[in-house]
Amino acid sequence: MASAGVNVLRYTALFAGVSYGFYRQSNLNAQSHKAKVDRDFAHQASLITQAKAEFKNKNMPSENVTKGAEVISDPNDPKFDLEGYLTALMGEKAK
């Protein structure tokens, strides 16, 4: 039979191992959660950047405007003026 001192050491080692296991698992879970939060934040930031670029492309006039007459040539644009576009087009052909 084992003496009382040996049993105390065994149970102390067992308790220390279980305590370390809980501590280690807690740290691993916290790191995993932090990494997931960071990934989600980076993904949201990239979506916001992409949305800003799309908004800029949608709302800012780009190459759809002819150079001299400031006439919008994109028929999908809500400010498109067919008469103004055709007049500008006829003026370019006349030159």
Side-chain angles (χ1 to χ4, degrees):
M1 302 225 39
S3 67
V6 173
N7 282 338
V8 168
L9 288 175
R10 284 182 186 166
Y11 283 109
T12 301
L14 177 65
F15 179 72
V18 169
S19 297
Y20 176 74
F22 282 127
Y23 173 76
R24 179 71 176 149
Q25 187 65 34
S26 173
N27 281 345
L28 291 175
N29 286 340
Q31 289 174 355
S32 172
H33 179 69
K34 184 179 182 307
K36 183 181 181 305
V37 168
D38 290 343
R39 279 192 312 269
D40 289 344
F41 182 78
H43 179 67
Q44 287 178 352
S46 69
L47 288 177
I48 289 170
T49 304
Q50 182 182 1
K52 284 182 179 181
E54 291 294 325
F55 181 80
K56 182 179 177 185
N57 289 339
K58 179 181 175 188
N59 293 328
M60 299 297 279
S62 59
E63 297 175 9
N64 296 334
V65 177
T66 58
K67 291 181 179 149
E70 296 290 327
V71 177
I72 298 174
S73 62
D74 181 18
N76 293 327
D77 192 344
K79 297 178 183 176
F80 177 69
D81 179 23
L82 181 62
E83 183 180 353
Y85 175 69
L86 292 175
T87 305
L89 190 63
M90 293 302 286
E92 288 178 6
K93 286 186 178 181
K95 292 180 182 179

